[in-house]
Amino acid sequence: MVDFLDLRAAAQARREELLAAAAAVIDSGWFILGEQVAAFEREFAAYCDAPGAVGVANGLDAISLALRALGIGPGDEVIVPSNTYIATWLAVSHVGAIPVAVEPDEATYNLDPARVEAAITPATRAIIAVHLYGQPADLDPLRAIADTHGLALVEDAAQAHGARYKGRRIGSGDRSIVTWSFYPGKNLGALGDGGALTAGPAIAADVAMLRNYGSARKYEHELIGYNSRLDEMQAAFLRAKLPHLDAENERRRTIAARYTAGLAGTGLILPFVPDWAEPVWHLYVVRHPDRDGLAGHLKAAGIGTVIHYPTPPHLQPAYAPMGLGKGSFPISERIHREVLSLPIGPMLTDGEVDQVIDAVRRFG
Ligand SMILES: *Cc1c(COP(=O)(O)O)cnc(C)c1O
């Protein structure tokens, strides 16, 4: 048996540190917006080379609050990838704006800058790039397009903690507005829900208010805010895990390299990494025209796989009112039909990786 992702083993490996983190919070008697959250915000910002970080309740809220801080709302259009986890679209809908989908570069699965320009209208206010599967999107051309048209560029880095673009960490630089999720299965995962925004001081200050009832001082409310706080317990767990993130990402890199070498010449389409990208391998995604056959074959061999994702956002019932039927985004639809994520995670052993490789190689 090879699990797709063994979260239990990952938690067990850090059991003592996590228990100590929990004890510190219990003994402090302070559970919301205290020193654990403040310290995690400093430590995570430093890790990302970011000007600042604000902890929030989850990755979806991080995107919504970033859009609110940018003043985006009803009547505005926001460009999103046609192939992303639905959260990217939902955040746009939650602020009352319209998600306008753009097809990806089929080699990298990330937003194709050449197609973004064609989707811009007078109502466009922002572009959300997603660093899908832990691979950085091509940020420089996206930034240039955003600047030419006076748009904000927001990065959904829920799958990309620690990734680098042209040597720079995702989240670095005074201008980046980046959203993070600490859902347990992400590269940096809490033991529950969590999220963050990294950004410069103006956006960070607004999101810090928005997450806490629109308030910077108790009982003074400047904005129509939310309750979307990272809690002290999750912040303490994240502080315990952050120092291990680089080593865990390095392990993922080793696993990815082993897959890429072992699966060469199989007829599968393997991940493509541009020379400017340093991915963190949140997922190792392969493609095959008979994806369901391959998944069934691996299941019979005791190997867990997952499809990221089976149905694109525009074909979900939630977005049926937009009237984007089958065939609206053919590249994305083809990707959704053919992708399969192989087991990857910091606890996976070389022996397990080799079992997966052997099983894939035996697939007709
Ligand atoms: C996980 C994820 C999110 C949402 O994060 P939550 O913390 O689950 O709300 C958003 N975007 C992408 C690309 C994700 O993978």
Side-chain angles (χ1 to χ4, degrees), residues 80 89 93 97-101 313-314 316-325 328-329:
V80 295
W89 288 46
S93 302
I98 300 160
V100 174
H314 71 278
Q316 295 284 355
Y319 282 108
M322 287 187 80
L324 300 164
S328 305
F329 298 101

Side-chain angles (χ1 to χ4, degrees), residues 86-176:
I86 196 169
T88 318
W89 288 46
L90 292 176
V92 175
S93 302
H94 284 170
V95 302
I98 300 160
V100 174
V102 167
E103 292 268 64
D105 173 337
E106 208 167 341
T108 63
Y109 306 123
N110 276 324
L111 207 48
D112 183 350
R115 291 190 173 92
V116 167
E117 195 124 34
I120 294 172
T121 75
T124 310
R125 297 287 314 281
I127 301 166
I128 306 182
V130 179
H131 304 302
L132 198 66
Y133 307 150
Q135 300 245 26
D138 196 359
L139 289 173
D140 283 351
L142 291 171
R143 169 70 66 199
I145 293 165
D147 286 349
T148 303
H149 296 272
L151 311 176
L153 177 62
V154 175
E155 300 164 51
D156 176 351
Q159 304 186 356
H161 320 75
R164 289 178 191 269
Y165 175 74
K166 298 187 179 170
R168 306 188 297 268
R169 282 263 201 229
I170 298 301
S172 67
D174 290 345
R175 295 191 63 203
S176 43

Side-chain angles (χ1 to χ4, degrees), residues 294-314:
L294 176 61
H297 165 83
L298 292 175
K299 186 165 184 228
I303 290 160
T305 59
V306 178
I307 298 166
H308 295 92
Y309 297 91
T311 306
H314 71 278

Side-chain angles (χ1 to χ4, degrees), residues 58-60 63 84-85 87-88 130 156 158-159 181 183 186 194 309:
N58 55 65
L60 169 59
I63 310 169
T84 178
Y85 183 55
T88 318
V130 179
D156 176 351
Q159 304 186 356
S181 164
Y183 181 80
K186 310 289 186 181
Y309 297 91

Side-chain angles (χ1 to χ4, degrees), residues 65 68 209-215 221-226:
L65 298 186
R68 273 286 310 268
M209 280 196 278
L210 285 166
R211 74 171 169 187
N212 191 30
Y213 299 109
S215 167
H221 302 273
E222 291 177 46
L223 301 168
I224 307 277
Y226 306 80

Side-chain angles (χ1 to χ4, degrees), residues 10-350:
Q12 288 293 317
R14 308 260 175 256
R15 193 167 187 278
E16 295 311 316
E17 289 159 273
L18 294 170
L19 286 173
V25 174
I26 292 166
D27 293 344
S28 78
W30 194 277
F31 305 109
I32 297 290
L33 295 185
E35 61 186 41
Q36 295 289 345
V37 170
F40 175 68
E41 289 172 343
R42 281 194 303 274
E43 290 159 9
F44 189 63
Y47 176 83
C48 300
D49 298 324
V54 183
V56 298
N58 55 65
L60 169 59
D61 283 4
I63 310 169
S64 307
L65 298 186
L67 296 174
R68 273 286 310 268
L70 289 164
I72 293 169
D76 295 334
E77 293 179 1
V78 176
I79 290 173
V80 295
S82 56
N83 64 318
T84 178
Y85 183 55
I86 196 169
T88 318
W89 288 46
L90 292 176
V92 175
S93 302
H94 284 170
V95 302
I98 300 160
V100 174
V102 167
E103 292 268 64
D105 173 337
E106 208 167 341
T108 63
Y109 306 123
N110 276 324
L111 207 48
D112 183 350
R115 291 190 173 92
V116 167
E117 195 124 34
I120 294 172
T121 75
T124 310
R125 297 287 314 281
I127 301 166
I128 306 182
V130 179
H131 304 302
L132 198 66
Y133 307 150
Q135 300 245 26
D138 196 359
L139 289 173
D140 283 351
L142 291 171
R143 169 70 66 199
I145 293 165
D147 286 349
T148 303
H149 296 272
L151 311 176
L153 177 62
V154 175
E155 300 164 51
D156 176 351
Q159 304 186 356
H161 320 75
R164 289 178 191 269
Y165 175 74
K166 298 187 179 170
R168 306 188 297 268
R169 282 263 201 229
I170 298 301
S172 67
D174 290 345
R175 295 191 63 203
S176 43
I177 302 170
V178 184
T179 66
W180 307 86
S181 164
F182 306 120
Y183 181 80
K186 310 289 186 181
N187 290 39
L188 179 61
L191 306 187
D193 277 311
L197 164 108
T198 51
I203 298 287
D206 271 3
V207 170
M209 280 196 278
L210 285 166
R211 74 171 169 187
N212 191 30
Y213 299 109
S215 167
R217 277 172 307 278
K218 202 164 174 132
Y219 303 131
E220 289 176 33
H221 302 273
E222 291 177 46
L223 301 168
I224 307 277
Y226 306 80
N227 176 353
S228 179
R229 300 172 297 220
L230 179 66
D231 62 66
E232 287 284 286
M233 191 64 91
Q234 297 307 330
F237 291 142
L238 290 165
R239 291 184 71 200
K241 293 182 82 176
L242 181 60
H244 303 291
L245 178 58
D246 279 340
E248 293 187 354
N249 283 342
E250 198 49 49
R251 176 68 196 143
R252 289 172 181 270
R253 246 170 233 130
T254 303
I255 293 167
R258 201 173 181 93
Y259 275 140
T260 298
L263 296 174
T266 53
L268 291 184
I269 298 177
L270 302 180
F272 168 75
V273 182
D275 54 13
W276 41 257
E278 206 180 288
V280 287
W281 301 103
H282 175 59
L283 298 169
Y284 189 92
V285 177
V286 299
R287 278 173 73 185
H288 194 283
D290 182 17
R291 182 266 315 277
D292 294 337
L294 176 61
H297 165 83
L298 292 175
K299 186 165 184 228
I303 290 160
T305 59
V306 178
I307 298 166
H308 295 92
Y309 297 91
T311 306
H314 71 278
L315 297 179
Q316 295 284 355
Y319 282 108
M322 287 187 80
L324 300 164
K326 262 209 169 81
S328 305
F329 298 101
I331 298 176
S332 177
E333 289 169 30
R334 184 162 60 245
I335 290 170
H336 282 77
R337 274 195 305 276
E338 297 184 353
V339 288
L340 189 67
S341 303
L342 301 182
I344 195 162
M347 306 307 292
L348 202 68
T349 65
D350 286 351

